[in-house]
Amino acid sequence: MADQTDASPPDWSAGRGVNDGEVPDWIRETIAASSKDERKQPWKITFGDTVDCRMDDGEDLVTVEKSVGGVPDPSFPFKTQGSIQETLSSLEQVAICSFQPKPSFDTLYGFASDTTSVKPPKLNLSTITVMTAGQVDITLKFLKWQDLYETEKPFQIFINIPKDADDPRDTNLVFENVHLPVRDIRICPYQFSLDRNGFIYLKHVTNVTKFSNREVVEREYLPEIEALLKAKLDDVDRVFFFDWRLRKNAPEIEGTVVNMNNPTEWLRPAVHVHIDQSPAAALKRIQLQLPEDAPYLLKGRVRIINIWRPLVASVEDWPLAICDGSTVEQRDLVETDHVRRHYTGSTMYLMRNPAQEFYYMSKQSHDDVLIFKNFDSRSGMMAKYAPHASFHHPEAATDAAPRESIEVRAFVFTYAK
C-alpha cells in the first residue's frame, strides 16, 4: 500500500507522542479527557492488570440462563462464560473484541458488480400489518444518571468475577423506560443527511441470499457494501470492516450456547439507546487492528459507519429507532467501560433529553438500508453520531414474522491532504 509508513505506530492511546504537532485534535482531546478522569474503575480493583489488550478470535460462549416461555422478550438475562448475568444491551458490544484483523476489501476483492438490475424480493402481502403512518408513541431504555458516576466510572463486566472479590458487582448501570414519540421517516417532508443528522436511508439491492454463510457474507456482501459506501459517502479513500452480526427477534431455549465470536449466530435486538464506540474505543481499535497503517490513517478523517439491513420482506415487530445526532448534546452521553475476557473497550449510553428527536422507517424492507454514524473525527459536523436502539412496535400483530437483520460496522478513512 502506497500510504503505509515504515514507522512503528505511536501509542497515542497511552499518552505517548501527545506533544507531537502531528497528533490530530480529536486524539489529543481524547487522551486529555482520559488522563483527567480520576474516577474509580472497579474492574481494575477486581482484576488488576490481568485483562490484556488483544483482540480475541477464539470462542466467546454465552449461555441462555433463563427461559422466557416462548414469548419474545429482548431483555431477559444471559449467563456469560458460565458466570455473570447480563442483559441484551451488553450483547450489542460484541464488536469490542470479536474479529481478526482483515485486509481492506477494496484491495482484496475490488468493487462489487452492478446490482441495479437485480429484482427486489416479492412481498408476501398476507403477512404485512397495516400500521398507522406518521408518529408512534413507543418506549425506549435510557441510561439513568446516578450520583455514583461522579466518583466511579460506569462499567459492565463480562467475565467471571472471583468468588473472593471484595466487589462482586458486574455493572453499576441503571436504565429507565422512557415513553416518547418516534416519527416515521417515510412521511417526513425533508431530506436527511449523514453529516447533518447522522443517518440516511437508501434503496440498495443485494445479490446475496445466504447470510448465514460467513464465507459468502465476507466474500460477496461486504464488497457490495464497500461499493455502496464509496458511491454514496463523500471522500471515501479506504473502507475497513471490523464487525458484522445477524440479529433475530425469537426466543432462545434455556441452556442454548451462543458463540459471540461467530457472527452467523443470531443475537437478539439491542434495546438500550447507545452508540457502539466512544472516541477512545475508536482510537484503540485502529491501533490494534491496523497497527502498520495507523500513523497515516489517524492523520486523516476517521468515521465509524454502520450499515443496517432487514433480512425479511418487512420489519413489523422490532424496528430500529435512530436519533437525529444534531439533537444530541455531549452531556447526554455517558462513556462506559466494557470488560471482556481479553479486551476492554468503551461505548456510550444515552440519557434522555426532551430535545432529542427519534425516527424509524415503517415496514422497512430488505432493500431499505439504513446507514448511520457511530463516530466522526471531523470537527464542525452537526452530527458526529446517531444513537440507536430497537423498540417493540405497539401496533405490530401478535403473529408478526420475527425481525431478522444484518448489521455491518466499518471504518471509513479519508486520507490526510
Side-chain angles (χ1 to χ4, degrees):
M1 242 179 83
D3 57 60
Q4 291 182 357
T5 69
D6 295 328
S8 299
D11 187 7
W12 287 330
S13 62
R16 300 184 186 92
V18 177
N19 295 324
D20 185 343
E22 295 185 351
V23 178
D25 289 343
W26 75 270
I27 296 178
R28 196 186 306 275
E29 293 167 0
T30 298
I31 295 170
S34 178
S35 62
K36 293 178 181 178
D37 191 346
E38 298 180 350
R39 293 176 297 174
K40 294 187 297 183
Q41 292 177 283
W43 64 270
K44 289 187 176 180
I45 298 174
T46 301
F47 296 100
D49 295 325
T50 58
V51 179
D52 55 45
C53 294
R54 59 188 172 87
M55 306 304 286
D56 181 14
D57 58 1
E59 290 187 337
D60 188 1
L61 304 180
V62 176
T63 303
V64 177
E65 179 168 87
K66 181 179 179 181
S67 172
V68 291
V71 178
D73 180 2
S75 45
F76 66 89
F78 275 72
K79 197 172 187 179
T80 301
Q81 298 287 1
S83 60
I84 65 170
Q85 304 289 322
E86 64 179 6
T87 62
L88 241 294
S89 64
S90 66
L91 299 186
E92 180 69 5
Q93 308 313 318
V94 67
I96 295 298
C97 63
S98 300
F99 303 91
Q100 302 178 22
K102 297 181 177 68
S104 171
F105 280 84
D106 55 0
T107 58
L108 188 61
Y109 298 117
F111 284 92
S113 59
D114 183 13
T115 61
T116 56
S117 62
V118 180
K119 294 182 179 179
K122 294 181 178 179
L123 297 181
N124 183 352
L125 297 180
S126 64
T127 65
I128 303 301
T129 305
V130 177
M131 296 180 178
T132 304
Q135 183 171 294
V136 180
D137 292 326
I138 65 169
T139 300
L140 290 176
K141 294 180 181 291
F142 290 83
L143 184 69
K144 185 176 182 180
W145 179 258
Q146 307 293 302
D147 291 340
L148 175 65
Y149 302 154
E150 296 284 356
T151 57
E152 183 178 275
K153 189 175 181 180
F155 70 93
Q156 289 179 300
I157 299 175
F158 307 125
I159 53 180
N160 292 335
I161 298 178
K163 294 181 180 179
D164 59 351
D166 293 334
D167 189 344
R169 295 174 301 163
D170 52 57
T171 186
N172 61 358
L173 299 181
V174 177
F175 293 94
E176 60 180 341
N177 290 326
V178 178
H179 302 287
L180 71 157
V182 60
R183 301 175 184 175
D184 188 351
I185 200 78
R186 293 192 183 277
I187 63 169
C188 287
Y190 47 89
Q191 294 291 322
F192 289 83
S193 158
L194 200 58
D195 286 339
R196 185 176 62 248
N197 310 104
F199 69 92
I200 53 175
Y201 286 87
L202 297 174
K203 282 289 184 182
H204 180 261
V205 179
T206 177
N207 286 314
V208 179
T209 58
K210 298 180 179 179
F211 286 94
S212 60
N213 185 314
R214 181 171 185 168
E215 181 180 351
V216 170
V217 170
E218 296 184 354
R219 184 184 66 243
E220 300 178 15
Y221 185 63
L222 297 188
E224 284 186 0
I225 294 302
E226 177 167 9
L228 175 66
L229 293 175
K230 288 184 173 181
K232 299 300 182 180
L233 273 61
D234 295 331
D235 303 324
V236 178
D237 290 317
R238 182 175 177 183
V239 177
F240 179 82
F241 297 103
F242 64 89
D243 182 17
W244 63 273
R245 291 298 323 192
L246 298 178
R247 294 187 181 276
K248 182 177 183 178
N249 180 45
E252 286 89 348
I253 300 173
E254 184 175 356
T256 299
V257 176
V258 178
N259 181 7
M260 296 288 290
N261 285 355
N262 180 0
T264 64
E265 295 196 21
W266 297 93
L267 299 182
R268 300 294 302 281
V271 298
H272 300 73
V273 187
H274 67 283
I275 297 169
D276 294 353
Q277 283 87 23
S278 70
L283 173 60
K284 191 174 186 178
R285 179 175 284 279
I286 292 172
Q287 291 185 304
L288 282 172
Q289 292 197 271
L290 296 166
E292 295 182 0
D293 298 345
Y296 180 80
L297 295 175
L298 288 170
K299 293 177 183 178
R301 184 183 185 183
V302 178
R303 284 172 284 182
I304 297 179
I305 301 294
N306 284 28
I307 305 91
W308 195 89
R309 177 194 296 273
L311 299 180
V312 292
S314 176
V315 175
E316 304 286 328
D317 54 350
W318 284 90
L320 189 67
I322 192 84
C323 184
D324 183 339
S326 68
T327 67
V328 177
E329 297 185 27
Q330 186 64 38
R331 63 182 182 181
D332 300 335
L333 295 166
V334 178
E335 185 179 41
T336 301
D337 287 339
H338 281 252
V339 183
R340 299 194 72 89
R341 184 168 298 278
H342 294 297
Y343 187 76
T344 300
S346 53
T347 189
M348 308 284 279
Y349 284 110
L350 186 67
M351 297 185 295
R352 177 58 174 160
N353 183 327
Q356 296 159 359
E357 296 180 358
F358 282 81
Y359 298 85
Y360 86 111
M361 176 176 280
S362 61
K363 296 189 286 187
Q364 186 176 353
S365 77
H366 185 271
D367 299 333
D368 294 317
V369 177
L370 170 61
I371 297 177
F372 61 93
K373 287 186 190 179
N374 271 294
F375 175 76
D376 191 342
S377 67
R378 177 171 290 178
S379 61
M381 296 292 100
M382 291 183 65
K384 287 179 171 290
Y385 32 64
H388 53 282
S390 295
F391 69 95
H392 180 258
H393 200 296
E395 298 178 15
T398 55
D399 59 349
R403 187 197 95 187
E404 296 181 7
S405 59
I406 181 171
E407 182 175 12
V408 175
R409 297 183 178 100
F411 278 111
V412 175
F413 297 103
T414 302
Y415 298 152
K417 300 298 189 283

